[in-house]
Amino acid sequence: TMRQRLSGTDTEMARITEDLIDVLIARNIINFTDFPIQAQKKLFARQKIRRNLSALSNLVADSDDIF
């Protein structure tokens, strides 16, 4: 249904929004501290999870070269 298709794009839109926020901060258009504390906590938590996931992916990719 249309509702399911719309719901299916929610994760993609959340990622786009996070990436947009990162770009705006990197270009000094907005400051991280401009966001409410709760939003800062959520953004920071997701960044930390992404970094950890990236590190794990790199570790797995590096170990593939060994074999």
Side-chain angles (χ1 to χ4, degrees), residues 15-32 35 43 47 50:
R15 180 60 192 262
I16 290 168
T17 302
E18 287 177 51
D19 291 343
L20 176 61
I21 290 169
D22 290 343
V23 168
L24 294 174
I25 291 171
R27 293 185 180 181
N28 293 315
I29 296 171
I30 59 172
N31 294 311
F32 184 75
F35 292 96
L43 288 166
Q47 288 173 347
R50 271 206 240 163

Side-chain angles (χ1 to χ4, degrees), residues 42-59:
K42 289 175 185 176
L43 288 166
F44 183 72
R46 288 194 54 87
Q47 288 173 347
K48 185 177 177 183
I49 291 168
R50 271 206 240 163
R51 276 194 309 270
N52 290 341
L53 185 58
S54 178
L56 288 174
S57 295
N58 290 339
L59 183 62

Side-chain angles (χ1 to χ4, degrees), residues 1 28 34 38 45 47 61:
T1 68
N28 293 315
D34 291 340
Q38 290 302 320
Q47 288 173 347

